[in-house]
Amino acid sequence: MKTKDRILDIARTMIAEIGYHGTTTAALAKRAGISEGTIYRHFENKEDILLHILQDLDDKYSAFLQTLRSARDGDHGTIERILQGHVQFSMDNLADLKIVLSSYALLSPSKQSMTTVIERMHEFFSECMRRSMEMGVIREVEVDPTAKTLVALLLGVMQLKVYWPDMDGDFDPQAVLFVRRSLVPEA
Amino acid sequence: MKTKDRILDIARTMIAEIGYHGTTTAALAKRAGISEGTIYRHFENKEDILLHILQDLDDKYSAFLQTLRSARDGDHGTIERILQGHVQFSMDNLADLKIVLSSYALLSPSKQSMTTVIERMHEFFSECMRRSMEMGVIREVEVDPTAKTLVALLLGVMQLKVYWPDMDGDFDPQAVLFVRRSLVPEA
Amino acid sequence: MKTKDRILDIARTMIAEIGYHGTTTAALAKRAGISEGTIYRHFENKEDILLHILQDLDDKYSAFLQTLRSARDGDHGTIERILQGHVQFSMDNLADLKIVLSSYALLSPSKQSMTTVIERMHEFFSECMRRSMEMGVIREVEVDPTAKTLVALLLGVMQLKVYWPDMDGDFDPQAVLFVRRSLVPEA
Amino acid sequence: MKTKDRILDIARTMIAEIGYHGTTTAALAKRAGISEGTIYRHFENKEDILLHILQDLDDKYSAFLQTLRSARDGDHGTIERILQGHVQFSMDNLADLKIVLSSYALLSPSKQSMTTVIERMHEFFSECMRRSMEMGVIREVEVDPTAKTLVALLLGVMQLKVYWPDMDGDFDPQAVLFVRRSLVPEA
DNA sequence: CATGAATGAGCATTCATTCAT
DNA sequence: CATGAATGAATGCTCATTCAT
């Protein structure tokens, strides 16, 4: 692996574990087996490392949304696939998620990144719901605030799964059911 | 106001704004109009200030739950009142909430505090749902994972309202409706 | 006991245990059951407390020398009594001794105090030896440097006894014998 | 000279002059012509500097004892050479000696270091005396307490020479004579 | 590309001393 | 005489960043 990628990799792990402020350049260099100065050969400064990590996550999420879009078939199962897909995506990118969730309140690049994710998520959900409503597979609801509700739910689920894994107990199938009962009219 | 309370007050504001690590004792003292040494006459160390803030929040949440408990009357409106109450409580204690939400991932006292809140919230929701189910005002659902879903939703709603107030657009009435559709059988 | 004396008493104990710098006015006040401000009602500053302790030791040593002077009878046993007396005096005033021994190198009042003690000890030993030589009970030796040697020996013995009590093993009778062999001609 | 050695050198001087607590990292850095942070590139913390100084002294004393051991020839002059050698060693390592003497009562690393020195000194003296007694060049005395007496004497002599150089007046030849009279039988 | 010594501003914390009550 | 809250300068230590090699 290239030095730059090793730095990013170690940084991802460390920031996820002990936070952005807790991750010192000295410790990062040591754990990556390089000298402290080398970090500055590849990144402008410490924040730049975070920016790269956030950009990577952004790209991964874009690709993920693309996959979801192409895979949808518009039936009433769509909503489930979307929710489960997002949970799966969270688990697949745990470290990145931890980084964003633990820092968006305090670091503006993280806040910016999280804002983008949330906006795209909201847009995607809105779009899906509008389509499904047109096809008559879900109830007639107010799209915008309902999409926000779904975003909120997903945000909360991720956090519960990330930070209280002990409590989890695999409650997400029931969360999906919860959403289905609210959106899909009974047969 | 007593010096100790002034310190707590300013600290609450500052930590909510710029985080625990961003809040330096020097800046805190300056903004409180006292000398740095005075802080240590009232608190053991910087973390002790955080502990006091968290304890205060804990007490306020306990009192809030007590109010909710005594006010419930078991009809199908209960669930709405609980959700709206929690949203209201969040808005009334915005600074404290920001502090917990922005630090529970990294500071163990905050994590501990948040864990307690979540557990109590979960327990309270479970209890309410069980009661409502017995009275036949909500559907028969699996209590535990559904309560977790509600906790997750609330956690997400709070964050959206706290950190993306611009996006909010007062979506919480629709969030309540979302929950009602999922839990309350149609007339 | 008067407040002033209680402060002095606690201070003596604390400085002997943890040194002058280690003894904070806050801890001293707490242990003496008074407020920090009260200390400054009785003493000009922290150093003033030390000065009082040193003065007390000075007085006690003066009185001790007076006793020795009046008790001496000039026979060859005198030197033993003087040495043993000094060791005894050290043990009786352990706290004060620890204070002086641990601080004379760094605090000028202590250095001054120690200087006075050493000079008086030297003078006293010289005087005794001169007398004993006149009476023919000890060998003819050079008084001044021999008295210094005795002072040095005593200084060392005190330290060994104070700081390495485990090692001691009651070696002072042999130390006295060591001196006797050097000074008293064999029968 | 390497930066690390310069720091050690200046620290030795400063600690000898104004004590360990009196020597601040800021003053040390300034006097060494480096920044404060540089100190921590070479030493873990302030105590670590002291530890290095003590270790150096330990090594020097070990080497010194080795020299003494190889140079002894067992005649009745041995004891003189040992005493004079120790006095000389003290003068050659005045700063280190001052550091140990001024801090062993309060700092545990210093205490530990001093304890080691005293034990080795005691052991070495005992060994020499036993040898000399076997060769019949000194009197039959109780080895252990007499060795302690010599240690005490040496400890006291060092202090007098280090802290009261004005008073000294080169009394150590007479101190050696004092010991010789006590240990070596008259011809 | 890589190094690692050096920097210096910044941090939490301590403590002798003061002073209004 | 006594209090105890307040002070503020000082301390040991950290850490992102620079730069000569």
Side-chain angles (χ1 to χ4, degrees):
Chain A
M1 193 168 8
K2 281 279 170 46
T3 301
K4 183 167 184 171
D5 290 325
R6 182 150 78 257
I7 295 174
L8 276 177
D9 225 54
I10 305 279
R12 215 187 315 269
T13 310
M14 289 185 74
I15 300 178
E17 276 171 7
I18 51 178
Y20 177 75
H21 280 112
T23 301
T24 66
T25 50
L28 171 56
K30 193 171 186 179
R31 210 159 132 179
I34 55 167
S35 90
E36 227 172 326
T38 303
I39 293 175
Y40 292 85
R41 293 247 140 228
H42 297 280
F43 301 94
E44 298 225 350
N45 47 38
K46 195 181 156 187
E47 193 180 292
D48 192 32
I49 301 176
L50 180 63
L51 255 32
H52 274 78
I53 292 175
L54 295 175
Q55 186 56 54
D56 283 357
L57 178 59
D58 216 59
D59 295 346
K60 281 185 261 182
Y61 187 58
S62 289
F64 167 67
L65 280 191
Q66 206 49 46
T67 313
L68 271 190
R69 254 185 255 270
S70 59
R72 92 189 138 193
D73 47 15
D75 70 1
H76 63 276
T78 304
I79 206 79
E80 277 98 330
R81 272 200 304 285
I82 290 172
L83 294 176
Q84 282 170 331
H86 271 84
V87 170
Q88 189 56 46
F89 179 81
S90 310
M91 295 302 106
D92 291 345
N93 299 280
L94 201 60
D96 302 76
L97 199 70
K98 278 189 170 182
I99 291 172
V100 184
L101 289 179
S102 71
S103 65
Y104 73 83
L106 299 171
L107 303 174
S108 51
S110 269
K111 173 81 183 269
Q112 188 47 52
S113 187
M114 192 74 178
T115 302
T116 310
V117 167
I118 283 181
E119 280 169 354
R120 284 203 298 201
M121 208 186 287
H122 177 239
E123 191 184 350
F124 182 75
F125 286 172
S126 300
E127 181 193 328
C128 286
M129 285 172 55
R130 218 161 326 194
R131 256 178 147 252
S132 297
M133 273 165 57
E134 278 170 18
M135 299 175 70
V137 294
I138 67 167
R139 269 194 255 270
E140 292 285 324
V141 295
E142 283 196 41
V143 172
D144 184 82
T146 306
K148 277 170 189 162
T149 304
L150 282 177
V151 169
L153 178 59
L154 218 34
L155 197 57
V157 168
M158 282 174 194
Q159 270 166 97
L160 241 41
K161 292 186 84 69
V162 169
Y163 291 110
W164 288 272
D166 296 342
M167 191 203 190
D168 181 355
D170 235 11
F171 78 102
D172 36 291
Q174 286 290 323
V176 171
L177 211 59
F178 186 96
V179 172
R180 162 178 265 274
R181 279 199 310 269
S182 183
L183 292 182
V184 182
E186 294 172 70
Chain B
M1 190 166 17
K2 283 278 171 42
T3 302
K4 181 167 187 173
D5 290 325
R6 183 153 76 257
I7 295 173
L8 274 178
D9 229 54
I10 306 279
R12 217 187 313 267
T13 310
M14 290 185 73
I15 300 179
E17 277 171 7
I18 50 178
Y20 176 76
H21 282 112
T23 302
T24 67
T25 51
L28 172 56
K30 193 169 187 179
R31 209 158 134 180
I34 55 168
S35 87
E36 223 171 329
T38 301
I39 294 174
Y40 293 85
R41 178 151 284 282
H42 298 281
F43 301 94
E44 297 230 348
N45 46 40
K46 197 181 153 187
E47 190 179 299
D48 192 33
I49 301 177
L50 179 65
L51 256 31
H52 273 79
I53 293 175
L54 295 174
Q55 186 56 54
D56 283 358
L57 178 59
D58 215 60
D59 294 346
K60 281 185 261 182
Y61 186 60
S62 289
F64 167 67
L65 281 191
Q66 207 48 45
T67 311
L68 272 190
R69 252 185 255 271
S70 59
R72 92 189 138 193
D73 46 15
D75 70 1
H76 63 276
T78 303
I79 207 79
E80 278 97 332
R81 271 200 304 285
I82 289 171
L83 295 174
Q84 282 171 330
H86 271 83
V87 170
Q88 188 58 46
F89 178 82
S90 309
M91 294 302 107
D92 291 345
N93 299 281
L94 201 59
D96 302 77
L97 200 70
K98 278 188 171 183
I99 291 172
V100 184
L101 289 179
S102 70
S103 65
Y104 73 82
L106 298 172
L107 303 175
S108 52
S110 273
K111 173 82 184 266
Q112 188 48 51
S113 190
M114 193 72 179
T115 302
T116 309
V117 166
I118 284 182
E119 280 170 355
R120 284 202 299 200
M121 208 186 284
H122 178 240
E123 190 184 352
F124 183 74
F125 286 174
S126 300
E127 181 193 328
C128 287
M129 285 173 54
R130 217 160 305 155
R131 256 177 146 249
S132 297
M133 273 165 59
E134 277 170 19
M135 299 176 71
V137 295
I138 67 167
R139 267 194 257 270
E140 291 286 323
V141 295
E142 283 195 43
V143 172
D144 185 81
T146 307
K148 278 169 189 162
T149 305
L150 282 176
V151 169
L153 177 58
L154 218 32
L155 198 57
V157 169
M158 282 175 194
Q159 272 167 95
L160 242 40
K161 293 186 83 70
V162 168
Y163 291 108
W164 288 272
D166 297 342
M167 191 205 190
D168 179 356
D170 236 10
F171 79 102
D172 35 293
Q174 286 291 323
V176 170
L177 211 59
F178 186 95
V179 171
R180 163 179 265 273
R181 279 199 311 269
S182 183
L183 292 183
V184 182
E186 294 173 70
Chain C
M1 193 167 12
K2 282 281 170 45
T3 300
K4 182 166 184 172
D5 289 326
R6 182 150 78 257
I7 295 173
L8 275 177
D9 226 53
I10 306 280
R12 214 187 316 266
T13 310
M14 290 184 74
I15 300 179
E17 276 171 7
I18 50 178
Y20 177 76
H21 280 111
T23 302
T24 67
T25 52
L28 172 56
K30 193 170 187 181
R31 209 158 136 181
I34 56 167
S35 89
E36 224 171 328
T38 302
I39 293 174
Y40 292 84
R41 294 248 139 228
H42 297 281
F43 301 94
E44 298 226 349
N45 47 38
K46 196 181 156 187
E47 191 179 295
D48 192 32
I49 300 176
L50 180 64
L51 255 30
H52 274 79
I53 293 174
L54 295 175
Q55 186 56 53
D56 283 358
L57 177 59
D58 216 59
D59 294 345
K60 281 186 262 181
Y61 187 59
S62 289
F64 167 68
L65 281 191
Q66 206 50 46
T67 313
L68 272 191
R69 253 186 257 269
S70 58
R72 95 188 137 192
D73 47 15
D75 70 2
H76 63 274
T78 304
I79 206 80
E80 276 98 330
R81 271 202 303 286
I82 290 172
L83 293 175
Q84 282 171 331
H86 271 84
V87 170
Q88 189 57 46
F89 179 81
S90 310
M91 296 300 106
D92 291 345
N93 298 280
L94 201 60
D96 303 75
L97 199 70
K98 278 188 170 182
I99 292 172
V100 184
L101 289 180
S102 70
S103 65
Y104 73 83
L106 300 170
L107 304 173
S108 51
S110 268
K111 172 81 183 268
Q112 188 48 52
S113 188
M114 193 72 179
T115 302
T116 310
V117 165
I118 284 181
E119 279 170 354
R120 283 203 298 202
M121 207 187 286
H122 177 238
E123 190 183 351
F124 183 74
F125 287 173
S126 301
E127 182 191 327
C128 286
M129 284 171 55
R130 217 158 317 171
R131 257 179 145 247
S132 297
M133 273 165 58
E134 277 172 19
M135 298 176 69
V137 294
I138 66 168
R139 268 194 255 270
E140 292 285 324
V141 295
E142 283 196 42
V143 172
D144 184 82
T146 306
K148 278 170 188 163
T149 304
L150 281 177
V151 169
L153 177 58
L154 218 33
L155 197 57
V157 168
M158 282 174 192
Q159 274 169 92
L160 242 40
K161 293 185 83 70
V162 168
Y163 292 108
W164 289 273
D166 296 342
M167 191 205 190
D168 179 355
D170 235 11
F171 78 102
D172 35 293
Q174 286 290 324
V176 171
L177 210 60
F178 186 94
V179 172
R180 163 179 265 273
R181 277 199 312 267
S182 183
L183 293 182
V184 182
E186 295 173 68
Chain D
M1 192 166 14
K2 281 280 172 37
T3 301
K4 184 166 185 173
D5 290 326
R6 183 152 77 257
I7 295 173
L8 275 177
D9 228 53
I10 306 279
R12 216 187 313 268
T13 309
M14 289 185 76
I15 300 179
E17 275 171 8
I18 51 178
Y20 176 76
H21 282 112
T23 301
T24 67
T25 50
L28 173 55
K30 194 169 187 180
R31 211 158 132 181
I34 55 168
S35 87
E36 221 171 331
T38 301
I39 293 174
Y40 292 88
R41 178 151 283 281
H42 298 281
F43 301 94
E44 297 229 348
N45 46 40
K46 196 181 153 188
E47 191 179 297
D48 193 32
I49 301 176
L50 180 64
L51 255 32
H52 273 79
I53 293 175
L54 294 176
Q55 186 57 52
D56 283 357
L57 178 59
D58 215 59
D59 294 345
K60 281 185 260 181
Y61 186 59
S62 288
F64 167 66
L65 280 192
Q66 206 50 44
T67 312
L68 272 191
R69 253 185 256 271
S70 58
R72 92 191 139 194
D73 48 15
D75 70 359
H76 64 275
T78 302
I79 207 79
E80 277 98 331
R81 272 200 304 284
I82 290 171
L83 295 175
Q84 281 170 331
H86 271 84
V87 169
Q88 188 57 44
F89 179 81
S90 310
M91 294 302 106
D92 290 345
N93 298 281
L94 200 60
D96 304 76
L97 200 70
K98 277 188 171 184
I99 291 173
V100 184
L101 289 179
S102 71
S103 66
Y104 73 82
L106 299 172
L107 303 175
S108 52
S110 272
K111 173 82 183 266
Q112 187 49 51
S113 190
M114 193 71 179
T115 302
T116 308
V117 165
I118 284 182
E119 280 170 355
R120 284 203 297 200
M121 209 187 284
H122 178 239
E123 190 184 351
F124 183 73
F125 286 174
S126 300
E127 180 193 329
C128 289
M129 284 171 55
R130 217 159 310 161
R131 254 176 148 250
S132 297
M133 272 165 58
E134 277 170 19
M135 299 176 70
V137 294
I138 68 168
R139 267 193 256 270
E140 292 286 323
V141 295
E142 283 195 42
V143 172
D144 184 82
T146 306
K148 279 170 187 161
T149 305
L150 281 177
V151 169
L153 177 58
L154 218 33
L155 197 58
V157 168
M158 283 173 191
Q159 272 168 95
L160 242 41
K161 292 185 83 71
V162 167
Y163 291 108
W164 287 273
D166 296 343
M167 190 205 192
D168 179 357
D170 234 10
F171 79 100
D172 37 291
Q174 285 291 323
V176 170
L177 211 60
F178 186 94
V179 172
R180 162 178 267 274
R181 278 199 311 268
S182 183
L183 292 182
V184 182
E186 294 173 67

